[in-house]
Amino acid sequence: MSERAAPFYCPYCGDEDLRPSEEGHGAWECAACNRAFRLKFLGLLAAGLRPAAIDGEDPTTS
């Protein structure tokens, strides 16, 4: 089991003063805006990432 990933910024105010919450795995508290939030990994996308279209080309046909 690896360490949990820590967020770098609060998703509400953007401050960096974050602490793990006692609410459990993935829960964080922001000391700047006094909000609590939870992060959760949902999974990998089945299609993955596709390259962006270049000059109007359709990336699905290349």
Side-chain angles (χ1 to χ4, degrees):
M1 176 78 43
S2 64
E3 291 183 33
R4 64 179 159 186
F8 294 110
Y9 304 98
C10 172
Y12 297 100
C13 70
D15 201 87
E16 299 177 5
D17 192 5
L18 302 176
R19 297 180 178 97
S21 175
E22 295 179 3
E23 294 296 317
H25 183 71
W28 293 87
E29 298 173 353
C30 177
C33 68
N34 204 31
R35 289 186 169 110
F37 58 94
R38 183 178 309 270
L39 300 177
K40 182 178 178 181
F41 177 70
L42 298 177
L44 297 174
L45 300 174
L49 297 175
R50 294 195 173 118
I54 301 172
D55 295 329
E57 295 178 13
D58 184 2
T60 60
T61 59
S62 55

